[in-house]
Amino acid sequence: MKIYTKTGDKGTTALFGGTRVPKHHIRIESYGTIDELNSHLGLIRDQNINEHYKNLLIHIQDRLFTVGAILATDPEKAILKNGKERLNIPKISDENIERLEKEMDAMNDELPPMTHFVLPGGHQTVSFCHIARCVCRRAERLTTALNDIEDIEPSALMYLNRLSDYLFVLARKLSYDLQAKEIKWIPEKES
């Protein structure tokens, strides 16, 4: 199979179901940002971090492919003529969302309470995690904007919201594990 098809040479791309849209369509921006997030998660996974986090990141990357597939499907063609769903894959479940919540709770139990916002940074791995968090928030903003135009599965939106929270807590936990200093944001006083 060739990677290049030449079908997008005029600035359009096909959704699942065959509908062609401009490459700058908000639907493409949404799942393209999910893809970007997935790549950032791979970068975090490549760091010297706890195996548990690596395994969870693999699971999250799998779930992001599902979110991407949901976003890449034309809602008008999501159901086939035989009544079955076009996407024959497990959807985002309540259990997927609850898993992120349980992971955050477990990490928070080991962390000092947060009394201030913290400046991103302190260690390269932590910085990668904060970048992923920001990309996740952008993916969420784009997906909610798309949802204003065409309904998106609520579980996909919830998952992105919870994932950005998870990535923030993971960044804090990685700071803790790596003994990196968290710098509190304390606004400078005017002179």
Side-chain angles (χ1 to χ4, degrees), residues 8-58:
D9 288 352
K10 293 185 179 173
T12 64
T13 192
L15 301 174
F16 291 151
T19 304
R20 294 203 71 80
V21 296
K23 289 187 178 187
H24 62 270
H25 190 281
I26 192 166
R27 183 172 290 281
I28 308 307
E29 286 288 341
S30 297
Y31 73 73
T33 306
I34 297 292
D35 186 36
E36 181 183 350
L37 170 60
N38 212 330
S39 296
H40 282 289
L41 295 183
L43 183 61
I44 299 167
R45 206 181 76 234
D46 289 343
Q47 305 305 301
N48 186 18
I49 61 173
N50 180 299
E51 201 64 31
H52 175 76
Y53 303 143
K54 288 185 181 201
N55 290 331
L56 184 58
L57 288 170
I58 290 171

Coordinates of all heavy atoms in Angstrom, one line a residue, residues 8-58:
G8 N -5.4 14.4 -1.8 CA -5.5 15.6 -1.0 C -4.7 16.8 -1.6 O -4.5 17.8 -1.0
D9 N -4.2 16.6 -2.8 CA -3.4 17.6 -3.4 C -4.1 19.0 -3.6 O -3.4 20.0 -3.8 CB -2.8 17.1 -4.8 CG -1.8 16.0 -4.6 OD1 -1.3 15.8 -3.5 OD2 -1.3 15.5 -5.6
K10 N -5.4 19.0 -3.6 CA -6.1 20.2 -3.8 C -6.7 20.8 -2.5 O -7.6 21.6 -2.5 CB -7.2 20.0 -4.8 CG -6.7 19.7 -6.2 CD -7.8 19.7 -7.2 CE -7.1 19.4 -8.6 NZ -8.1 19.2 -9.6
G11 N -6.1 20.2 -1.4 CA -6.5 20.8 -0.1 C -7.7 20.2 0.6 O -8.2 20.8 1.5
T12 N -8.1 19.0 0.2 CA -9.2 18.4 0.8 C -8.8 17.0 1.3 O -7.8 16.5 0.9 CB -10.5 18.2 -0.1 OG1 -10.1 17.3 -1.2 CG2 -11.0 19.5 -0.6
T13 N -9.6 16.5 2.2 CA -9.3 15.1 2.7 C -10.6 14.4 3.0 O -11.6 15.1 3.1 CB -8.4 15.2 4.0 OG1 -7.9 13.9 4.3 CG2 -9.2 15.7 5.2
A14 N -10.6 13.1 3.1 CA -11.8 12.3 3.2 C -12.0 11.9 4.7 O -11.0 11.5 5.4 CB -11.7 11.1 2.3
L15 N -13.2 12.0 5.2 CA -13.6 11.5 6.5 C -14.0 10.0 6.3 O -14.2 9.6 5.1 CB -14.8 12.2 7.0 CG -14.6 13.7 7.2 CD1 -15.9 14.4 7.6 CD2 -13.5 14.0 8.2
F16 N -14.1 9.3 7.4 CA -14.6 7.9 7.3 C -16.0 8.0 6.8 O -16.8 8.8 7.3 CB -14.6 7.2 8.7 CG -13.3 6.9 9.2 CD1 -13.1 6.8 10.6 CD2 -12.2 6.6 8.4 CE1 -11.8 6.5 11.1 CE2 -10.9 6.3 8.9 CZ -10.8 6.2 10.3
G17 N -16.3 7.3 5.7 CA -17.6 7.4 5.1 C -17.5 8.1 3.7 O -18.4 8.1 2.9
G18 N -16.3 8.7 3.4 CA -16.0 9.2 2.1 C -16.3 10.7 1.9 O -15.8 11.3 0.9
T19 N -16.9 11.4 2.8 CA -17.2 12.8 2.7 C -15.8 13.6 2.6 O -15.0 13.3 3.4 CB -18.0 13.4 3.9 OG1 -19.2 12.6 4.0 CG2 -18.3 14.8 3.7
R20 N -15.7 14.5 1.7 CA -14.5 15.3 1.5 C -14.7 16.6 2.2 O -15.8 17.2 1.9 CB -14.1 15.4 0.1 CG -13.7 14.0 -0.5 CD -12.8 14.1 -1.7 NE -11.4 14.6 -1.4 CZ -10.4 13.8 -0.9 NH1 -10.6 12.5 -0.6 NH2 -9.2 14.3 -0.7
V21 N -13.7 17.1 2.9 CA -13.8 18.4 3.6 C -12.4 19.0 3.4 O -11.4 18.4 3.2 CB -14.1 18.2 5.1 CG1 -15.5 17.7 5.3 CG2 -13.1 17.4 5.8
P22 N -12.4 20.4 3.5 CA -11.1 21.1 3.5 C -10.2 20.6 4.6 O -10.7 20.3 5.7 CB -11.5 22.6 3.6 CG -12.9 22.6 3.4 CD -13.5 21.3 3.7
K23 N -8.9 20.6 4.3 CA -8.0 20.2 5.4 C -7.9 21.1 6.6 O -7.4 20.7 7.6 CB -6.6 20.0 4.8 CG -6.5 18.8 3.8 CD -5.0 18.6 3.4 CE -5.0 17.3 2.5 NZ -3.6 17.0 2.1
H24 N -8.5 22.3 6.4 CA -8.5 23.2 7.5 C -9.8 23.2 8.3 O -10.1 23.9 9.2 CB -8.2 24.7 7.1 CG -9.3 25.2 6.1 ND1 -9.1 25.0 4.8 CD2 -10.4 25.8 6.3 CE1 -10.2 25.5 4.2 NE2 -11.0 26.0 5.1
H25 N -10.7 22.2 7.9 CA -12.0 22.1 8.6 C -11.8 21.8 10.1 O -10.8 21.1 10.5 CB -12.8 20.9 7.9 CG -14.2 20.8 8.3 ND1 -14.6 20.2 9.5 CD2 -15.3 21.1 7.7 CE1 -15.9 20.2 9.6 NE2 -16.4 20.8 8.5
I26 N -12.7 22.3 10.9 CA -12.5 22.2 12.4 C -12.5 20.7 12.8 O -11.8 20.3 13.8 CB -13.6 23.0 13.1 CG1 -13.2 23.0 14.6 CG2 -14.9 22.4 12.9 CD1 -13.9 24.0 15.4
R27 N -13.1 19.9 12.0 CA -13.1 18.4 12.3 C -11.7 17.9 12.1 O -11.2 17.1 13.0 CB -14.1 17.7 11.5 CG -14.2 16.2 11.7 CD -15.3 15.5 11.0 NE -16.6 15.9 11.5 CZ -17.2 15.5 12.6 NH1 -16.6 14.6 13.3 NH2 -18.4 15.9 13.0
I28 N -11.0 18.3 11.1 CA -9.7 17.9 10.8 C -8.7 18.5 11.8 O -7.8 17.8 12.3 CB -9.2 18.3 9.4 CG1 -10.3 17.8 8.3 CG2 -7.8 17.7 9.1 CD1 -10.6 16.4 8.4
E29 N -8.9 19.8 12.2 CA -8.1 20.4 13.2 C -8.3 19.6 14.5 O -7.3 19.4 15.3 CB -8.5 21.9 13.4 CG -8.1 22.8 12.3 CD -6.6 23.1 12.4 OE1 -5.9 22.9 13.4 OE2 -6.1 23.5 11.3
S30 N -9.5 19.2 14.8 CA -9.7 18.5 16.1 C -9.0 17.1 16.1 O -8.2 16.9 17.1 CB -11.2 18.2 16.3 OG -11.9 19.4 16.4
Y31 N -9.2 16.3 15.1 CA -8.5 15.0 15.2 C -7.0 15.1 14.9 O -6.2 14.3 15.4 CB -9.2 13.9 14.5 CG -9.2 13.8 13.0 CD1 -8.0 13.5 12.3 CD2 -10.3 14.1 12.3 CE1 -8.0 13.4 10.9 CE2 -10.3 14.0 10.9 CZ -9.2 13.6 10.2 OH -9.2 13.5 8.8
G32 N -6.6 16.1 14.2 CA -5.2 16.4 14.0 C -4.5 16.8 15.3 O -3.3 16.4 15.5
T33 N -5.2 17.5 16.1 CA -4.6 17.9 17.4 C -4.6 16.7 18.3 O -3.7 16.5 19.1 CB -5.4 19.1 18.0 OG1 -5.4 20.1 17.0 CG2 -4.7 19.6 19.3
I34 N -5.5 15.8 18.2 CA -5.5 14.5 19.0 C -4.3 13.7 18.6 O -3.6 13.2 19.4 CB -6.8 13.7 18.7 CG1 -8.0 14.4 19.2 CG2 -6.7 12.3 19.3 CD1 -8.2 14.6 20.7
D35 N -4.0 13.7 17.3 CA -2.8 13.0 16.8 C -1.5 13.6 17.3 O -0.6 13.0 17.8 CB -2.8 13.0 15.2 CG -1.7 12.2 14.6 OD1 -1.3 11.1 15.2 OD2 -1.2 12.6 13.6
E36 N -1.5 15.0 17.3 CA -0.3 15.7 17.9 C -0.2 15.3 19.4 O 0.9 15.1 19.9 CB -0.5 17.2 17.7 CG 0.6 18.0 18.3 CD 0.3 19.5 18.1 OE1 -0.7 19.9 17.4 OE2 1.1 20.3 18.7
L37 N -1.3 15.3 20.1 CA -1.2 15.0 21.5 C -0.7 13.5 21.7 O 0.2 13.3 22.6 CB -2.6 15.1 22.1 CG -2.8 14.5 23.5 CD1 -1.9 15.2 24.6 CD2 -4.3 14.6 23.9
N38 N -1.1 12.6 20.9 CA -0.7 11.2 21.0 C 0.8 11.1 20.8 O 1.5 10.4 21.5 CB -1.5 10.4 19.9 CG -1.7 9.0 20.4 OD1 -0.9 8.4 21.1 ND2 -2.8 8.4 19.9
S39 N 1.4 11.9 19.9 CA 2.8 12.0 19.7 C 3.5 12.5 20.9 O 4.6 12.0 21.3 CB 3.2 12.8 18.4 OG 2.6 12.2 17.3
H40 N 3.0 13.5 21.5 CA 3.6 14.0 22.7 C 3.6 13.0 23.9 O 4.5 12.9 24.6 CB 2.9 15.3 23.2 CG 3.3 16.5 22.4 ND1 4.6 17.1 22.5 CD2 2.6 17.3 21.5 CE1 4.6 18.1 21.7 NE2 3.5 18.3 21.1
L41 N 2.5 12.2 23.9 CA 2.4 11.2 24.9 C 3.5 10.1 24.7 O 4.1 9.6 25.6 CB 1.0 10.5 25.0 CG -0.1 11.5 25.4 CD1 -1.4 10.7 25.5 CD2 0.2 12.1 26.8
G42 N 3.7 9.8 23.4 CA 4.8 8.9 23.1 C 6.2 9.4 23.5 O 7.0 8.7 24.0
L43 N 6.4 10.7 23.4 CA 7.6 11.3 23.9 C 7.7 11.2 25.4 O 8.8 10.9 25.9 CB 7.6 12.8 23.5 CG 8.9 13.6 23.9 CD1 10.1 13.0 23.2 CD2 8.7 15.1 23.4
I44 N 6.7 11.4 26.2 CA 6.7 11.2 27.6 C 7.0 9.7 27.9 O 7.8 9.4 28.8 CB 5.4 11.6 28.3 CG1 5.1 13.1 28.0 CG2 5.4 11.3 29.8 CD1 3.7 13.5 28.4
R45 N 6.3 8.8 27.2 CA 6.5 7.4 27.4 C 8.0 7.0 27.2 O 8.5 6.0 27.8 CB 5.6 6.6 26.5 CG 5.2 5.3 27.0 CD 4.3 4.5 26.1 NE 5.1 4.0 24.9 CZ 4.8 4.3 23.7 NH1 3.8 5.0 23.3 NH2 5.6 3.8 22.7
D46 N 8.7 7.7 26.3 CA 10.1 7.4 26.0 C 11.1 7.8 27.1 O 12.2 7.5 27.0 CB 10.5 8.0 24.6 CG 9.8 7.3 23.5 OD1 9.3 6.2 23.6 OD2 9.8 7.9 22.4
Q47 N 10.6 8.5 28.1 CA 11.4 9.0 29.1 C 11.7 7.9 30.2 O 11.0 6.9 30.2 CB 10.8 10.3 29.8 CG 10.5 11.4 28.8 CD 11.7 11.8 28.0 OE1 12.7 12.3 28.6 NE2 11.6 11.7 26.7
N48 N 12.6 8.2 31.1 CA 12.9 7.3 32.1 C 11.9 7.5 33.3 O 12.2 8.2 34.2 CB 14.3 7.5 32.6 CG 14.8 6.4 33.6 OD1 14.1 5.4 33.7 ND2 15.8 6.7 34.4
I49 N 10.7 6.9 33.1 CA 9.6 7.1 34.1 C 9.2 5.7 34.5 O 9.5 4.7 33.9 CB 8.5 7.9 33.6 CG1 7.8 7.2 32.3 CG2 8.9 9.3 33.3 CD1 6.5 7.9 31.9
N50 N 8.4 5.7 35.6 CA 7.8 4.5 36.2 C 7.1 3.6 35.1 O 6.3 4.2 34.3 CB 6.9 4.9 37.3 CG 6.2 3.8 38.0 OD1 5.4 3.0 37.4 ND2 6.4 3.7 39.3
E51 N 7.3 2.3 35.1 CA 6.7 1.4 34.1 C 5.1 1.5 34.2 O 4.5 1.4 33.1 CB 7.1 0.0 34.4 CG 7.0 -0.9 33.2 CD 7.9 -0.5 32.0 OE1 9.0 0.0 32.2 OE2 7.5 -0.8 30.9
H52 N 4.6 1.8 35.3 CA 3.1 1.9 35.5 C 2.6 3.1 34.6 O 1.6 2.9 33.9 CB 2.7 2.1 36.9 CG 1.3 2.4 37.1 ND1 0.3 1.4 37.0 CD2 0.6 3.5 37.4 CE1 -0.9 1.9 37.2 NE2 -0.8 3.2 37.4
Y53 N 3.3 4.2 34.7 CA 2.9 5.4 33.9 C 3.1 5.0 32.4 O 2.2 5.4 31.6 CB 3.8 6.6 34.2 CG 3.7 7.0 35.7 CD1 4.8 7.5 36.3 CD2 2.5 6.9 36.4 CE1 4.8 7.9 37.6 CE2 2.5 7.3 37.8 CZ 3.6 7.7 38.4 OH 3.6 8.1 39.7
K54 N 4.1 4.4 32.0 CA 4.3 4.0 30.6 C 3.2 3.1 30.1 O 2.6 3.4 29.0 CB 5.7 3.3 30.4 CG 6.9 4.1 30.6 CD 8.1 3.4 30.2 CE 9.3 4.3 30.4 NZ 10.5 3.8 29.7
N55 N 2.8 2.2 30.9 CA 1.7 1.3 30.5 C 0.4 2.0 30.4 O -0.4 1.8 29.5 CB 1.6 0.1 31.4 CG 2.7 -0.9 31.3 OD1 3.3 -1.0 30.2 ND2 3.1 -1.5 32.4
L56 N 0.1 2.9 31.3 CA -1.1 3.7 31.3 C -1.1 4.6 30.0 O -2.1 4.8 29.4 CB -1.3 4.5 32.5 CG -2.6 5.3 32.6 CD1 -3.8 4.4 32.4 CD2 -2.7 6.1 33.9
L57 N 0.1 5.2 29.7 CA 0.2 6.1 28.6 C -0.1 5.3 27.3 O -0.8 5.8 26.4 CB 1.5 6.8 28.5 CG 1.8 7.9 29.5 CD1 3.2 8.3 29.6 CD2 0.8 9.0 29.3
I58 N 0.3 4.0 27.2 CA 0.0 3.2 26.0 C -1.5 3.1 25.9 O -2.1 3.2 24.9 CB 0.7 1.8 26.1 CG1 2.2 2.0 25.9 CG2 0.1 0.9 25.1 CD1 3.0 0.8 26.1

